[in-house]
Amino acid sequence: MFEFELPDLGEGVAEGEVLAWHVAVGEAVHEDQTLAEVETDKAAVDVPSPVAGVVRELHAEVGDIVATGEVLVTIEEGADGPESTESAAPPENGAAVDDRVFAPPSVRRLARERGVDIATVEGTGPSGRITEADVAAAASEREDDEGPTPVVSKVDDDEREDDGPTSVISKVSDDGPDTESDGTEPAVKSAVRKVASTMTERRDRTLATPATRRLARELGVDIDAVPTDETRDGEPYVDAAAVRAVAERESDAGEITDEDVREVAERVVSELREAATETGVEATPVEATDADRREPYRGVRRTIGEQMARSRREVPHATHHDKVAVPGLVEARERLQPLAEERGVHLTYTPLVLQCVAAALDDHPILATQLDTEREEIVYRSDRDIGVATATDHGLVVPVVEDVDETGLLELAADVNQLVERARNRDIAREELQGGVFTVTNFGAIGGEYADPIINVPETAILGVGALRERPVAEDGEVVAKPTLTLSLAIDHRVVDGADAARFVDTLKSYLADPTRLLLE
């Protein structure tokens, strides 16, 4: 038997969530056939089979978190063919087996929450892509046939998934203060034990197998507060024995008094106040009604949020706004676009803007820097790898276009189009989202003019480009209408001064106004 372990899915990736299985137990697979779709904190990737054979066991369910190096699937190599398809149990949670389901993770999560088999949903989006509206329509149709989902069962499902406050409420009964009807401890005691556990040194991230995580939920143990000296890939790792040890210590801790409850409550309030003071944001629970919908804050969306929060927390932002008339840019694109179309390339303004930015960075290298806070050094980057912020169904993604200054316009346009398309389809490698020296975000595509963009640390600047439209411009004492662009340059004021920003924008404006100047570089 070949035990296939989850491979390294990219630099720094220690675990992934199983989004869908594309095979079932008893099914024959060939080498390089997609076994599963796994989501990391950057992208969703297909995991191919390294061998040919027959699937004997799936070691995780859809929604489970699997650590790198953990066994994902067992395959019997060299088996002749599939066993009876009638005996092959399909994977749970509506995973697609025979056909690829085209749906972003947010839509897949919605399908799981609404109890919809996503493999049966007909997509109405581009290329048959399944949207949230498709899932909602399928859920409504099912509910019309079967009746509404009982509220109690939804609470139980949430408890098993999140192990949140609903688990405390669901255990309350009239059997008395010491034990519940199912043998569990009373609600207040359970709550205090959980809160007391979180008062220990709690980590932001812990690696553990799905079985260990389930055990922790069953025992009411906060897995991020379990003491451990073991690591995997530099991350804390907790096994089942450590979880049981914590649970046993808590069960032997004795009766919890009113004083214990009061002490824990005071510590919780104190820490919340300290956190609010440090971040400037008060932690407030969000009340929701039955008509509202919740979805997990994790994966790409959480990574984006943490990166933006870190940037705002650590970086003193300053934003320089300006406007430039660009009739030369418009004329250049109009003249070159038919020629590009003849060669099968759709020419937008983006590659032209990127080439202008790269030339301006050469003139003002302080904008092409990264701040290494660990070594306390400013790194002047020699390359011109520029990130292009792209809005997708699963959040803002920044694919990096390499060697902008050394690439011809048509090749650059094709590279940009391909990267953006693959980013939107979640078919992009992690390394293609890393290593940029500067970022350009085009909020003008949806009509915006000026903004205050957040820097993609460790970069020290980001350029926001507003809508291209005719605006009044003073020329030779008269006001005329000309195509203009609005610019918003955010800088890290620890590295870049306001004067540097102004000079960079002035140079960039000269290239945008007349892109033929690039021929002199």
Side-chain angles (χ1 to χ4, degrees):
M1 293 291 183
F2 177 77
E3 292 191 333
F4 178 47
E5 300 174 350
L6 182 66
D8 184 357
L9 300 177
E11 180 184 355
V13 175
E15 60 185 10
E17 177 186 354
V18 178
L19 293 181
W21 281 106
H22 294 281
V23 296
V25 173
E27 180 180 345
V29 296
H30 56 77
E31 188 175 349
D32 293 329
Q33 178 178 339
T34 298
L35 299 175
E37 186 176 6
V38 177
E39 180 185 29
T40 70
D41 61 354
K42 283 292 185 182
V45 297
D46 290 334
V47 179
S49 174
V51 298
V54 174
V55 176
R56 293 306 181 198
E57 185 177 359
L58 306 180
H59 293 269
E61 298 178 1
V62 171
D64 281 348
I65 305 296
V66 182
T68 300
E70 182 180 340
V71 177
L72 185 65
V73 58
T74 298
I75 300 174
E76 182 181 355
E77 294 184 80
D80 294 335
E83 298 177 349
S84 172
T85 56
E86 296 180 355
S87 63
E92 299 181 13
N93 295 317
V97 176
D98 297 320
D99 299 313
R100 174 85 180 260
V101 175
F102 292 93
S106 60
V107 174
R108 295 178 184 274
R109 294 192 190 101
L110 176 61
R112 294 199 294 270
E113 292 168 2
R114 301 291 296 271
V116 173
D117 182 351
I118 199 167
T120 65
V121 178
E122 182 177 353
T124 60
S127 302
R129 189 180 184 87
I130 299 174
T131 66
E132 291 189 0
D134 298 330
V135 172
S140 299
E141 181 178 348
R142 189 202 62 179
E143 290 171 359
D144 290 340
D145 295 337
E146 302 177 1
T149 302
V151 175
V152 173
S153 66
K154 286 292 290 182
V155 171
D156 290 341
D157 289 343
D158 290 342
E159 177 201 345
R160 286 193 296 270
E161 178 68 21
D162 300 325
D163 196 32
T166 55
S167 63
V168 175
I169 297 172
S170 64
K171 291 180 181 178
V172 175
S173 72
D174 297 328
D175 292 344
D178 295 326
T179 58
E180 305 298 343
S181 58
D182 61 354
T184 60
E185 59 188 354
V188 173
K189 182 184 291 187
S190 175
V192 172
R193 291 200 190 284
K194 287 186 180 181
V195 174
S197 175
T198 63
M199 292 298 100
T200 61
E201 292 187 9
R202 193 176 189 279
R203 298 175 295 274
D204 293 331
R205 181 171 180 171
T206 301
L207 299 185
T209 65
T212 300
R213 294 182 184 275
R214 283 195 294 270
L215 177 64
R217 290 196 294 269
E218 293 168 1
L219 297 179
V221 173
D222 181 356
I223 201 165
D224 291 319
V226 175
T228 180
D229 294 327
E230 187 174 352
T231 61
R232 285 190 179 180
D233 297 326
E235 297 282 354
Y237 177 79
V238 169
D239 58 17
V243 170
R244 290 193 181 94
V246 170
E248 290 174 2
R249 285 199 299 271
E250 291 182 351
S251 64
D252 295 338
E255 189 66 26
I256 295 177
T257 66
D258 291 342
E259 184 61 31
D260 295 328
V261 175
R262 190 178 304 110
E263 180 183 351
V264 170
E266 289 175 353
R267 292 171 65 184
V268 170
V269 172
S270 176
E271 291 210 357
L272 287 176
R273 286 175 176 168
E274 290 178 5
T277 300
E278 291 176 1
T279 63
V281 178
E282 183 178 357
T284 305
V286 177
E287 299 295 335
T289 67
D290 292 341
D292 299 327
R293 178 172 65 85
R294 289 179 180 268
E295 65 178 34
Y297 179 56
R298 61 189 181 193
V300 176
R301 170 55 61 190
R302 181 173 179 177
T303 300
I304 294 170
E306 291 174 346
Q307 180 79 347
M308 295 300 98
R310 173 194 169 195
S311 181
R312 274 301 191 192
R313 184 173 62 249
E314 297 180 1
V315 177
H317 282 65
T319 305
H320 179 90
H321 298 290
D322 211 329
K323 180 173 63 176
V324 56
V326 290
L329 180 69
V330 174
E331 181 184 352
R333 178 178 178 264
E334 289 178 348
R335 187 170 65 252
L336 296 174
Q337 185 177 12
L339 300 176
E341 296 288 352
E342 290 177 2
R343 303 187 185 185
V345 177
H346 177 59
L347 180 62
T348 67
Y349 286 105
T350 300
L352 289 164
V353 171
L354 292 181
Q355 287 191 330
C356 292
V357 167
L361 290 174
D362 287 340
D363 293 334
H364 305 277
I366 189 63
L367 274 296
T369 55
Q370 293 179 333
L371 181 58
D372 188 337
T373 54
E374 182 175 346
R375 296 186 179 182
E376 297 185 340
E377 294 176 343
I378 300 173
V379 180
Y380 287 76
R381 292 283 299 272
S382 59
D383 60 83
R384 294 296 175 258
D385 297 349
I386 300 177
V388 179
T390 304
T392 71
D393 292 343
H394 48 279
L396 190 68
V397 179
V398 186
V400 176
V401 184
E402 297 182 349
D403 301 324
V404 172
D405 58 332
E406 299 177 0
T407 306
L409 183 61
L410 288 184
E411 183 182 352
L412 182 61
D415 289 347
V416 170
N417 294 341
Q418 184 186 63
L419 279 171
V420 169
E421 180 65 21
R422 289 198 290 113
R424 288 174 176 159
N425 292 334
R426 305 209 66 178
D427 185 27
I428 192 165
R430 181 185 178 92
E431 54 268 20
E432 293 177 294
L433 304 174
Q434 298 174 329
V437 64
F438 188 93
T439 297
V440 175
T441 177
N442 180 17
F443 46 78
I446 54 178
E449 291 202 349
Y450 293 101
D452 187 14
I454 299 177
I455 297 169
N456 188 19
V457 292
E459 297 171 17
T460 58
I462 179 172
L463 176 70
V465 181
L468 173 63
R469 58 169 61 111
E470 285 197 340
R471 296 180 176 89
V473 176
E475 186 176 81
D476 297 330
E478 296 183 356
V479 176
V480 297
K482 286 192 174 184
T484 59
L485 280 176
T486 52
L487 306 173
S488 300
L489 176 69
I491 58 171
D492 183 343
H493 226 321
R494 297 174 300 179
V495 178
V496 184
D497 293 330
D500 296 322
R503 284 190 284 265
F504 170 82
V505 170
D506 282 345
T507 300
L508 176 61
K509 286 168 58 178
S510 67
Y511 286 121
L512 291 172
D514 183 11
T516 59
R517 289 192 56 192
L518 295 172
L519 299 176
L520 299 175
E521 302 301 325

PDB file of all heavy atoms in Angstrom, residues 161-189:
ATOM      1  N   GLU A 161     -18.869  21.967  14.499  1.00  0.00           N
ATOM      2  CA  GLU A 161     -17.889  22.581  13.619  1.00  0.00           C
ATOM      3  C   GLU A 161     -17.004  23.562  14.344  1.00  0.00           C
ATOM      4  O   GLU A 161     -15.795  23.577  14.191  1.00  0.00           O
ATOM      5  CB  GLU A 161     -18.630  23.299  12.466  1.00  0.00           C
ATOM      6  CG  GLU A 161     -17.706  24.010  11.506  1.00  0.00           C
ATOM      7  CD  GLU A 161     -16.871  23.062  10.696  1.00  0.00           C
ATOM      8  OE1 GLU A 161     -17.260  21.891  10.568  1.00  0.00           O
ATOM      9  OE2 GLU A 161     -15.807  23.488  10.208  1.00  0.00           O
ATOM     10  N   ASP A 162     -17.618  24.430  15.160  1.00  0.00           N
ATOM     11  CA  ASP A 162     -16.857  25.542  15.706  1.00  0.00           C
ATOM     12  C   ASP A 162     -16.504  25.383  17.173  1.00  0.00           C
ATOM     13  O   ASP A 162     -15.650  26.073  17.688  1.00  0.00           O
ATOM     14  CB  ASP A 162     -17.643  26.847  15.531  1.00  0.00           C
ATOM     15  CG  ASP A 162     -17.915  27.144  14.075  1.00  0.00           C
ATOM     16  OD1 ASP A 162     -17.037  26.824  13.257  1.00  0.00           O
ATOM     17  OD2 ASP A 162     -18.985  27.665  13.780  1.00  0.00           O
ATOM     18  N   ASP A 163     -17.237  24.498  17.891  1.00  0.00           N
ATOM     19  CA  ASP A 163     -17.022  24.325  19.323  1.00  0.00           C
ATOM     20  C   ASP A 163     -17.122  25.664  20.045  1.00  0.00           C
ATOM     21  O   ASP A 163     -16.345  25.976  20.922  1.00  0.00           O
ATOM     22  CB  ASP A 163     -15.650  23.691  19.586  1.00  0.00           C
ATOM     23  CG  ASP A 163     -15.567  23.138  20.999  1.00  0.00           C
ATOM     24  OD1 ASP A 163     -16.604  22.696  21.526  1.00  0.00           O
ATOM     25  OD2 ASP A 163     -14.466  23.172  21.563  1.00  0.00           O
ATOM     26  N   GLY A 164     -18.087  26.455  19.638  1.00  0.00           N
ATOM     27  CA  GLY A 164     -18.237  27.788  20.187  1.00  0.00           C
ATOM     28  C   GLY A 164     -19.222  27.822  21.316  1.00  0.00           C
ATOM     29  O   GLY A 164     -19.577  26.812  21.913  1.00  0.00           O
ATOM     30  N   PRO A 165     -19.749  29.019  21.636  1.00  0.00           N
ATOM     31  CA  PRO A 165     -20.642  29.187  22.774  1.00  0.00           C
ATOM     32  C   PRO A 165     -21.907  28.338  22.690  1.00  0.00           C
ATOM     33  O   PRO A 165     -22.498  28.022  23.702  1.00  0.00           O
ATOM     34  CB  PRO A 165     -20.986  30.683  22.714  1.00  0.00           C
ATOM     35  CG  PRO A 165     -19.837  31.305  21.999  1.00  0.00           C
ATOM     36  CD  PRO A 165     -19.389  30.282  21.011  1.00  0.00           C
ATOM     37  N   THR A 166     -22.330  27.943  21.477  1.00  0.00           N
ATOM     38  CA  THR A 166     -23.542  27.132  21.386  1.00  0.00           C
ATOM     39  C   THR A 166     -23.389  25.807  22.107  1.00  0.00           C
ATOM     40  O   THR A 166     -24.360  25.231  22.573  1.00  0.00           O
ATOM     41  CB  THR A 166     -23.883  26.858  19.915  1.00  0.00           C
ATOM     42  OG1 THR A 166     -22.750  26.268  19.281  1.00  0.00           O
ATOM     43  CG2 THR A 166     -24.276  28.130  19.193  1.00  0.00           C
ATOM     44  N   SER A 167     -22.139  25.297  22.212  1.00  0.00           N
ATOM     45  CA  SER A 167     -21.946  24.018  22.895  1.00  0.00           C
ATOM     46  C   SER A 167     -22.267  24.145  24.374  1.00  0.00           C
ATOM     47  O   SER A 167     -22.716  23.195  24.993  1.00  0.00           O
ATOM     48  CB  SER A 167     -20.503  23.532  22.706  1.00  0.00           C
ATOM     49  OG  SER A 167     -19.604  24.437  23.302  1.00  0.00           O
ATOM     50  N   VAL A 168     -22.023  25.307  24.945  1.00  0.00           N
ATOM     51  CA  VAL A 168     -22.350  25.523  26.347  1.00  0.00           C
ATOM     52  C   VAL A 168     -23.856  25.550  26.537  1.00  0.00           C
ATOM     53  O   VAL A 168     -24.413  24.912  27.417  1.00  0.00           O
ATOM     54  CB  VAL A 168     -21.729  26.849  26.840  1.00  0.00           C
ATOM     55  CG1 VAL A 168     -22.164  27.132  28.267  1.00  0.00           C
ATOM     56  CG2 VAL A 168     -20.206  26.789  26.765  1.00  0.00           C
ATOM     57  N   ILE A 169     -24.560  26.257  25.668  1.00  0.00           N
ATOM     58  CA  ILE A 169     -26.015  26.370  25.790  1.00  0.00           C
ATOM     59  C   ILE A 169     -26.671  25.019  25.602  1.00  0.00           C
ATOM     60  O   ILE A 169     -27.605  24.649  26.315  1.00  0.00           O
ATOM     61  CB  ILE A 169     -26.543  27.367  24.752  1.00  0.00           C
ATOM     62  CG1 ILE A 169     -25.966  28.752  25.033  1.00  0.00           C
ATOM     63  CG2 ILE A 169     -28.055  27.421  24.755  1.00  0.00           C
ATOM     64  CD1 ILE A 169     -26.262  29.769  23.970  1.00  0.00           C
ATOM     65  N   SER A 170     -26.173  24.228  24.644  1.00  0.00           N
ATOM     66  CA  SER A 170     -26.839  22.969  24.345  1.00  0.00           C
ATOM     67  C   SER A 170     -26.715  21.963  25.471  1.00  0.00           C
ATOM     68  O   SER A 170     -27.464  20.998  25.521  1.00  0.00           O
ATOM     69  CB  SER A 170     -26.255  22.364  23.060  1.00  0.00           C
ATOM     70  OG  SER A 170     -24.908  22.038  23.264  1.00  0.00           O
ATOM     71  N   LYS A 171     -25.779  22.163  26.407  1.00  0.00           N
ATOM     72  CA  LYS A 171     -25.588  21.201  27.486  1.00  0.00           C
ATOM     73  C   LYS A 171     -26.400  21.529  28.731  1.00  0.00           C
ATOM     74  O   LYS A 171     -26.376  20.790  29.705  1.00  0.00           O
ATOM     75  CB  LYS A 171     -24.099  21.128  27.854  1.00  0.00           C
ATOM     76  CG  LYS A 171     -23.243  20.495  26.756  1.00  0.00           C
ATOM     77  CD  LYS A 171     -21.801  20.444  27.162  1.00  0.00           C
ATOM     78  CE  LYS A 171     -20.946  19.841  26.064  1.00  0.00           C
ATOM     79  NZ  LYS A 171     -19.534  19.821  26.417  1.00  0.00           N
ATOM     80  N   VAL A 172     -27.103  22.654  28.758  1.00  0.00           N
ATOM     81  CA  VAL A 172     -27.874  23.031  29.932  1.00  0.00           C
ATOM     82  C   VAL A 172     -29.121  22.150  30.045  1.00  0.00           C
ATOM     83  O   VAL A 172     -29.832  21.940  29.081  1.00  0.00           O
ATOM     84  CB  VAL A 172     -28.293  24.519  29.846  1.00  0.00           C
ATOM     85  CG1 VAL A 172     -29.206  24.873  31.002  1.00  0.00           C
ATOM     86  CG2 VAL A 172     -27.061  25.399  29.850  1.00  0.00           C
ATOM     87  N   SER A 173     -29.358  21.598  31.246  1.00  0.00           N
ATOM     88  CA  SER A 173     -30.552  20.797  31.479  1.00  0.00           C
ATOM     89  C   SER A 173     -30.988  20.984  32.906  1.00  0.00           C
ATOM     90  O   SER A 173     -30.413  21.745  33.669  1.00  0.00           O
ATOM     91  CB  SER A 173     -30.269  19.309  31.183  1.00  0.00           C
ATOM     92  OG  SER A 173     -29.457  18.769  32.194  1.00  0.00           O
ATOM     93  N   ASP A 174     -32.036  20.262  33.307  1.00  0.00           N
ATOM     94  CA  ASP A 174     -32.584  20.401  34.645  1.00  0.00           C
ATOM     95  C   ASP A 174     -32.109  19.299  35.579  1.00  0.00           C
ATOM     96  O   ASP A 174     -32.722  19.055  36.624  1.00  0.00           O
ATOM     97  CB  ASP A 174     -34.128  20.358  34.575  1.00  0.00           C
ATOM     98  CG  ASP A 174     -34.667  21.523  33.766  1.00  0.00           C
ATOM     99  OD1 ASP A 174     -34.023  22.589  33.811  1.00  0.00           O
ATOM    100  OD2 ASP A 174     -35.707  21.363  33.100  1.00  0.00           O
ATOM    101  N   ASP A 175     -31.043  18.614  35.237  1.00  0.00           N
ATOM    102  CA  ASP A 175     -30.615  17.481  36.047  1.00  0.00           C
ATOM    103  C   ASP A 175     -29.856  17.893  37.290  1.00  0.00           C
ATOM    104  O   ASP A 175     -29.486  17.062  38.102  1.00  0.00           O
ATOM    105  CB  ASP A 175     -29.714  16.541  35.204  1.00  0.00           C
ATOM    106  CG  ASP A 175     -30.520  15.867  34.126  1.00  0.00           C
ATOM    107  OD1 ASP A 175     -31.760  15.876  34.231  1.00  0.00           O
ATOM    108  OD2 ASP A 175     -29.908  15.346  33.177  1.00  0.00           O
ATOM    109  N   GLY A 176     -29.545  19.163  37.451  1.00  0.00           N
ATOM    110  CA  GLY A 176     -28.849  19.576  38.656  1.00  0.00           C
ATOM    111  C   GLY A 176     -27.555  20.255  38.349  1.00  0.00           C
ATOM    112  O   GLY A 176     -27.078  20.263  37.224  1.00  0.00           O
ATOM    113  N   PRO A 177     -26.910  20.841  39.358  1.00  0.00           N
ATOM    114  CA  PRO A 177     -25.719  21.657  39.140  1.00  0.00           C
ATOM    115  C   PRO A 177     -24.454  20.874  38.926  1.00  0.00           C
ATOM    116  O   PRO A 177     -23.480  21.408  38.453  1.00  0.00           O
ATOM    117  CB  PRO A 177     -25.636  22.480  40.427  1.00  0.00           C
ATOM    118  CG  PRO A 177     -26.259  21.596  41.467  1.00  0.00           C
ATOM    119  CD  PRO A 177     -27.347  20.864  40.782  1.00  0.00           C
ATOM    120  N   ASP A 178     -24.417  19.593  39.275  1.00  0.00           N
ATOM    121  CA  ASP A 178     -23.144  18.876  39.235  1.00  0.00           C
ATOM    122  C   ASP A 178     -22.904  18.199  37.893  1.00  0.00           C
ATOM    123  O   ASP A 178     -21.810  18.208  37.375  1.00  0.00           O
ATOM    124  CB  ASP A 178     -23.085  17.833  40.358  1.00  0.00           C
ATOM    125  CG  ASP A 178     -23.087  18.511  41.721  1.00  0.00           C
ATOM    126  OD1 ASP A 178     -22.514  19.615  41.816  1.00  0.00           O
ATOM    127  OD2 ASP A 178     -23.666  17.943  42.663  1.00  0.00           O
ATOM    128  N   THR A 179     -23.914  17.546  37.343  1.00  0.00           N
ATOM    129  CA  THR A 179     -23.749  16.854  36.069  1.00  0.00           C
ATOM    130  C   THR A 179     -25.000  17.038  35.240  1.00  0.00           C
ATOM    131  O   THR A 179     -26.086  17.286  35.756  1.00  0.00           O
ATOM    132  CB  THR A 179     -23.513  15.335  36.259  1.00  0.00           C
ATOM    133  OG1 THR A 179     -24.629  14.790  36.975  1.00  0.00           O
ATOM    134  CG2 THR A 179     -22.239  15.070  37.024  1.00  0.00           C
ATOM    135  N   GLU A 180     -24.840  16.881  33.936  1.00  0.00           N
ATOM    136  CA  GLU A 180     -25.963  16.968  33.014  1.00  0.00           C
ATOM    137  C   GLU A 180     -26.481  15.564  32.728  1.00  0.00           C
ATOM    138  O   GLU A 180     -25.885  14.555  33.121  1.00  0.00           O
ATOM    139  CB  GLU A 180     -25.517  17.654  31.711  1.00  0.00           C
ATOM    140  CG  GLU A 180     -24.896  19.019  31.930  1.00  0.00           C
ATOM    141  CD  GLU A 180     -25.859  20.020  32.554  1.00  0.00           C
ATOM    142  OE1 GLU A 180     -27.082  19.789  32.534  1.00  0.00           O
ATOM    143  OE2 GLU A 180     -25.381  21.031  33.085  1.00  0.00           O
ATOM    144  N   SER A 181     -27.569  15.529  31.981  1.00  0.00           N
ATOM    145  CA  SER A 181     -28.194  14.238  31.710  1.00  0.00           C
ATOM    146  C   SER A 181     -27.294  13.327  30.898  1.00  0.00           C
ATOM    147  O   SER A 181     -27.426  12.109  30.954  1.00  0.00           O
ATOM    148  CB  SER A 181     -29.514  14.451  30.952  1.00  0.00           C
ATOM    149  OG  SER A 181     -29.261  15.157  29.739  1.00  0.00           O
ATOM    150  N   ASP A 182     -26.402  13.897  30.104  1.00  0.00           N
ATOM    151  CA  ASP A 182     -25.500  13.058  29.306  1.00  0.00           C
ATOM    152  C   ASP A 182     -24.165  12.827  29.995  1.00  0.00           C
ATOM    153  O   ASP A 182     -23.216  12.353  29.388  1.00  0.00           O
ATOM    154  CB  ASP A 182     -25.273  13.692  27.922  1.00  0.00           C
ATOM    155  CG  ASP A 182     -24.635  15.057  28.026  1.00  0.00           C
ATOM    156  OD1 ASP A 182     -24.470  15.549  29.169  1.00  0.00           O
ATOM    157  OD2 ASP A 182     -24.309  15.619  26.969  1.00  0.00           O
ATOM    158  N   GLY A 183     -24.064  13.205  31.274  1.00  0.00           N
ATOM    159  CA  GLY A 183     -22.832  12.961  32.016  1.00  0.00           C
ATOM    160  C   GLY A 183     -21.812  14.060  31.907  1.00  0.00           C
ATOM    161  O   GLY A 183     -20.744  13.986  32.495  1.00  0.00           O
ATOM    162  N   THR A 184     -22.104  15.108  31.129  1.00  0.00           N
ATOM    163  CA  THR A 184     -21.138  16.198  30.998  1.00  0.00           C
ATOM    164  C   THR A 184     -21.270  17.139  32.179  1.00  0.00           C
ATOM    165  O   THR A 184     -22.258  17.123  32.906  1.00  0.00           O
ATOM    166  CB  THR A 184     -21.383  16.983  29.701  1.00  0.00           C
ATOM    167  OG1 THR A 184     -22.701  17.531  29.748  1.00  0.00           O
ATOM    168  CG2 THR A 184     -21.265  16.085  28.485  1.00  0.00           C
ATOM    169  N   GLU A 185     -20.266  17.996  32.379  1.00  0.00           N
ATOM    170  CA  GLU A 185     -20.314  18.931  33.484  1.00  0.00           C
ATOM    171  C   GLU A 185     -21.266  20.069  33.150  1.00  0.00           C
ATOM    172  O   GLU A 185     -21.593  20.288  31.988  1.00  0.00           O
ATOM    173  CB  GLU A 185     -18.917  19.471  33.768  1.00  0.00           C
ATOM    174  CG  GLU A 185     -18.275  20.178  32.590  1.00  0.00           C
ATOM    175  CD  GLU A 185     -16.829  20.517  32.886  1.00  0.00           C
ATOM    176  OE1 GLU A 185     -16.382  20.299  34.018  1.00  0.00           O
ATOM    177  OE2 GLU A 185     -16.157  20.988  31.965  1.00  0.00           O
ATOM    178  N   PRO A 186     -21.743  20.813  34.153  1.00  0.00           N
ATOM    179  CA  PRO A 186     -22.704  21.871  33.893  1.00  0.00           C
ATOM    180  C   PRO A 186     -22.133  22.982  33.048  1.00  0.00           C
ATOM    181  O   PRO A 186     -20.921  23.130  32.904  1.00  0.00           O
ATOM    182  CB  PRO A 186     -23.066  22.372  35.304  1.00  0.00           C
ATOM    183  CG  PRO A 186     -21.916  21.974  36.157  1.00  0.00           C
ATOM    184  CD  PRO A 186     -21.423  20.681  35.596  1.00  0.00           C
ATOM    185  N   ALA A 187     -23.065  23.809  32.489  1.00  0.00           N
ATOM    186  CA  ALA A 187     -22.674  24.817  31.510  1.00  0.00           C
ATOM    187  C   ALA A 187     -21.659  25.798  32.058  1.00  0.00           C
ATOM    188  O   ALA A 187     -20.665  26.115  31.407  1.00  0.00           O
ATOM    189  CB  ALA A 187     -23.920  25.569  31.025  1.00  0.00           C
ATOM    190  N   VAL A 188     -21.888  26.329  33.267  1.00  0.00           N
ATOM    191  CA  VAL A 188     -20.986  27.335  33.822  1.00  0.00           C
ATOM    192  C   VAL A 188     -19.604  26.756  34.033  1.00  0.00           C
ATOM    193  O   VAL A 188     -18.581  27.360  33.710  1.00  0.00           O
ATOM    194  CB  VAL A 188     -21.547  27.896  35.145  1.00  0.00           C
ATOM    195  CG1 VAL A 188     -20.527  28.809  35.802  1.00  0.00           C
ATOM    196  CG2 VAL A 188     -22.841  28.659  34.882  1.00  0.00           C
ATOM    197  N   LYS A 189     -19.561  25.522  34.583  1.00  0.00           N
ATOM    198  CA  LYS A 189     -18.257  24.895  34.822  1.00  0.00           C
ATOM    199  C   LYS A 189     -17.523  24.680  33.503  1.00  0.00           C
ATOM    200  O   LYS A 189     -16.331  24.957  33.384  1.00  0.00           O
ATOM    201  CB  LYS A 189     -18.452  23.559  35.533  1.00  0.00           C
ATOM    202  CG  LYS A 189     -17.128  22.864  35.860  1.00  0.00           C
ATOM    203  CD  LYS A 189     -17.336  21.483  36.477  1.00  0.00           C
ATOM    204  CE  LYS A 189     -17.920  21.579  37.857  1.00  0.00           C
ATOM    205  NZ  LYS A 189     -17.973  20.263  38.521  1.00  0.00           N
TER     206      LYS A 189
END
